[in-house]
Amino acid sequence: MNQQIRQYIQRLEQTLQGDPWYGKSIYTLLGEVPEEIAFVQPGGRSHSAVEILYHMLTWAEFTLNRVQKKPIDDLDAFEKLDWRVIEPAQHGWEEGMAALTATHQELMATLEMADDSLLDEKVDYRDYNFRTLLDGLLTHNIYHVGQIAVVHKLLS
């Protein structure tokens, strides 16, 4: 039985592409950011929209890999990706959005096959369970897309 897991999937779908309680969905907000401003750091010190997008991607990938129980060969190398140096030729805005979408789709498909007992299991490499990880991913996505929306508004 995976009723609780299905609730997480529904919450992910709603925040990513549905009609969430806080306003526009994550994909809608990201889609409104023109690529030409995605690389601009407001005030020269804040994170750019693309830096935040790839930060979101890092934690979506972390969550997917933990749910899939994939080993991490080098945890330090993974954690360095958290706020990676953005190379525009390598880290495009559209490519980042596509990777974020694909990662979340794979995560939801993987969760579909999981049992609710997963939620109480401890996450590898961490001191918390999968319920905390999934709650964290949802909150993290909403928080950071809000930052991107502010950056977009400041630069438009």
Side-chain angles (χ1 to χ4, degrees), residues 42-154:
R45 296 189 329 219
S46 298
H47 287 295
S48 66
V50 75
E51 288 172 318
I52 299 168
L53 172 64
Y54 278 88
H55 171 74
M56 291 171 67
L57 175 60
T58 296
W59 288 104
E61 289 173 339
F62 178 84
T63 302
L64 172 62
N65 289 334
R66 299 296 38 86
V67 169
Q68 293 178 337
K69 312 272 179 145
K70 290 183 179 177
I72 296 177
D73 295 331
D74 185 353
L75 190 57
D76 289 335
F78 177 83
E79 290 180 352
K80 286 178 184 173
L81 290 175
D82 191 11
W83 288 103
R84 67 188 82 190
V85 175
I86 298 297
E87 300 291 341
Q90 183 182 4
H91 302 102
W93 180 250
E94 295 293 328
E95 293 82 3
M97 287 193 307
L100 188 71
T101 300
T103 300
H104 278 96
Q105 287 173 340
E106 188 174 353
L107 172 61
M108 289 184 286
T110 303
L111 286 171
E112 277 287 342
M113 297 180 290
D115 188 81
D116 283 344
S117 63
L118 171 73
L119 297 173
D120 294 319
E121 288 180 29
K122 183 180 174 288
V123 176
D124 294 346
Y125 311 103
R126 295 295 189 251
D127 291 326
Y128 49 78
N129 62 24
F130 281 94
R131 184 181 314 277
T132 300
L133 179 62
L134 292 171
D135 284 333
L137 180 65
L138 283 157
T139 305
H140 188 260
N141 283 347
I142 294 166
Y143 173 78
H144 284 302
V145 82
Q147 287 182 309
I148 291 173
V150 170
V151 167
H152 177 218
K153 190 169 195 158
L154 286 171

